[in-house]
Each structure stands twice: as structure tokens, then as C-alpha cells.
Amino acid sequence: MKGIVLAGGSGTRLYPLTRGLSKQLLPIYDKPMVYYPISVLMLSGIREILVISTPDDIPAFKRLLGTGEEIGIRFDYAIQPRPNGLAEAFLIGRDFVGRDDVSLVLGDNVFHGANLSKTLQNVVSQLDGCVLFGYRVNDPERYGVVEVDAYNNIISIEEKPKRPKSNIAVTGLYFYDNDVLEIASSIKPSARGELEITDVNSHYVARGKAKIQILGRGMAWLDTGTFSSLLEANQFVQVLEHRQGTRIACLEEIAYRMGYIDAGQLERMAAVYEKSEYGNYLRRCIEEGEDI
């Protein structure tokens, strides 16, 4: 399976912070925002990742992430000239995906919780059609909302409904079989001129091939599209890391725990950050040898 991180857009809701910097390069406590969605793909077992961003921002992502070789994965890069909708990621990334299945994650989403890696890997191993990730919210009218049956099959998806049929919001994490490439190429722009991911998902619903994985208690989903939600994400990560002594979305640690790199390679990465607490943490990972 391949992975795509969609990290484009202009981030106008976060102006002036994002006038000169991609939203996905803003910090969430001690790491760039884009580390968090990348970590989700890595925890899923995905080692080939396409980062899609704007022409202006791609060079910065390349400077930050490089080829991925140091952490045992591969990063590729592609440009989305204008924000033409989430589903455009599959048109831009068509050659990258090839004949594989694919996961799409939005560059401003944060996921964390117990057994997250196991949940993600189970989805990958059992994928048949598409799997969306849902989260129960108090204000479903602000989100895409799914109606499900007793077996978590999706009955319908509505964008920002005035009268939601459930309180399950669709998050920015999606898993698809290879059919998504043809489906995405067949849909037409919506009234707002975008290729909507909901239209892609509705194709799978019509085929009876769409399921929802609901993130329950003990799981957290945060997006960072407003000043308040960005602050909340920073506070969430800071509190958990300080209380537990671990780090969320530490790509080097994940690579080590997943077996993508060995202790010697992690030690070399720790040396890169030797003047920061981040480097000290990587060395502690080698000493502790805990499971992810």
C-alpha cells in the first residue's frame, strides 16, 4: 500500500501565520505539523509516501523530510497548483500509486490513542473497497457525517447537514483499493469547482464497499484549521508528552519500533539532534526498547 499526505492549500483561516509558511509546517508543540499525518501512515506499515503541496511550499517539505532514507522509508513529492479538492490527490498521485492500494491523510490532522497502530494495520490487511475513519462529535453539522448500519457499513454520507443522521464525523484519514484511481478520474467538479472526496466515497457506498472504522474512547482526533484548534492540538501534545515521558509522532522512533531502521541508524539520527531534548529522547528509545 502507498500513502499520500495532502499538504496543500493556502491556509487562509490561519492568516497571518500562514502568509509566508505552509500551515503543515507550523509547529504542533515540538514537531512540524506534517509529522503527525506521516506518523499515521508509518504506523499503518506504509513506507512509500507522496507529499503533495503547493509550488511555493514543496522545496521546504523537501528540506525538512528529504528522501526518507534515514528513517527507512521513501518520500516522493508532487505539486497541486491550486486547491481543487481532496480527490485531486488521486489524479496527481496516479503514477505514484500505480497498481497498489492507497491511504490518503490530510496534512493538518492529528490522530493518537491506544492500539492505533494495530487498528491501522488491521484495516490495511482486511481492506475491501474503502474504509473511512469516524469520530463522534458534539457538533456534527460542521462535518461530513456518516449514517451506518449495525455492521458499520456506511448507508449515506452528508456534507455539513442541517439535520445530521448521526454524530459520527468523517475524519481526514481514508483507505482505498486501487479502484479509487478510476473513480476519482470519473467524478465532476462540484458547484464550488472542486473534486470532492465525498463524491469518491459515495461511489463506494453505492457499491456496498464502504465501511467506517469508528475511533472510540481512548482515541483522539484533532484538526488544526483554526487558531483555537491549533492551540488545542499544541496543548494536547504537550500535556501527554510531559505526563508520559514519550513523544507523539516521533518519526525516528516509529521507524525504529516498526523495524524500518536498527539501533545504529537511530543513534545516528539522535546525533543529528544532539543539542536538543529530542535527541536525548531518541537515545532513551534505544535504551528502553519498548514496543510502540
Side-chain angles (χ1 to χ4, degrees):
M1 177 174 281
K2 304 284 181 62
I4 297 176
V5 179
L6 187 56
S10 54
T12 52
R13 288 189 296 167
L14 290 175
Y15 271 12
L17 287 179
T18 51
R19 287 200 67 184
L21 181 68
S22 167
K23 175 174 68 173
Q24 292 84 7
L25 293 173
L26 294 174
I28 295 184
Y29 187 49
D30 55 354
K31 292 170 292 294
M33 185 186 296
V34 74
Y35 273 37
Y36 295 83
I38 289 173
S39 74
V40 170
L41 298 179
M42 292 176 65
L43 289 169
S44 304
I46 295 170
R47 301 180 66 172
E48 296 178 71
I49 298 171
L50 178 68
V51 178
I52 298 176
S53 191
T54 68
D56 290 337
D57 293 322
I58 278 292
F61 283 105
K62 288 183 176 180
R63 286 195 300 272
L64 173 68
L65 301 171
T67 64
E69 182 180 2
E70 291 178 324
I71 55 173
I73 65 176
R74 191 188 92 199
F75 288 116
D76 286 282
Y77 301 90
I79 289 172
Q80 185 183 39
R82 292 171 298 279
N84 293 326
L86 305 187
E88 189 180 33
F90 301 113
L91 307 186
I92 296 170
R94 186 182 185 99
D95 291 341
F96 167 81
V97 175
R99 298 182 179 181
D100 292 317
D101 298 336
V102 60
S103 176
L104 172 67
V105 62
L106 304 188
D108 61 355
N109 276 219
V110 177
F111 296 86
H112 180 69
N115 298 317
L116 177 60
S117 182
K118 183 178 180 180
T119 299
L120 294 167
Q121 291 173 38
N122 285 341
V123 167
V124 171
S125 65
Q126 300 171 19
L127 183 64
D128 180 22
C130 89
V131 175
L132 314 181
F133 278 71
Y135 197 79
R136 298 188 187 278
V137 296
N138 289 326
D139 49 355
E141 63 278 358
R142 293 181 53 231
Y143 301 93
V145 174
V146 295
E147 178 186 11
V148 299
D149 65 17
Y151 301 98
N152 283 346
N153 296 303
I154 300 174
I155 299 171
S156 67
I157 307 173
E158 293 182 279
E159 278 296 324
K160 299 180 180 178
K162 293 182 178 179
R163 297 180 180 178
K165 295 178 180 178
S166 79
N167 68 339
I168 303 171
V170 179
T171 71
L173 177 61
Y174 317 85
F175 288 81
Y176 299 99
D177 63 18
N178 193 258
D179 289 350
V180 72
L181 300 181
E182 292 304 321
I183 293 171
S185 66
S186 71
I187 64 173
K188 304 299 182 185
S190 65
R192 60 178 185 167
E194 296 189 4
L195 299 176
E196 306 286 354
I197 198 70
T198 297
D199 291 341
V200 170
N201 296 334
S202 294
H203 271 75
Y204 281 99
V205 172
R207 296 179 179 184
K209 290 285 190 177
K211 289 186 176 292
I212 188 85
Q213 176 73 46
I214 299 173
L215 299 172
R217 295 186 180 186
M219 294 280 191
W221 167 56
L222 304 162
D223 64 21
T224 53
T226 66
F227 293 114
S228 293
S229 59
L230 180 60
L231 177 60
E232 288 170 359
N234 275 271
Q235 292 171 328
F236 174 81
V237 173
Q238 191 268 347
V239 168
L240 281 184
E241 291 192 352
H242 275 236
R243 293 283 291 180
Q244 297 180 351
T246 60
R247 273 178 159 73
I248 299 170
C250 176
L251 303 187
E252 297 84 0
E253 177 189 10
I254 293 170
Y256 176 56
R257 306 297 189 203
M258 296 288 289
Y260 301 162
I261 60 174
D262 60 26
Q265 291 169 296
L266 184 59
E267 178 63 37
R268 286 193 289 275
M269 291 303 300
V272 173
Y273 303 109
E274 63 180 350
K275 293 184 179 180
S276 72
E277 178 56 32
Y278 196 88
N280 294 334
Y281 175 75
L282 295 182
R283 289 193 172 91
R284 290 200 302 272
C285 291
I286 298 172
E287 296 167 2
E288 294 169 0
E290 296 176 356
D291 293 331
I292 202 162

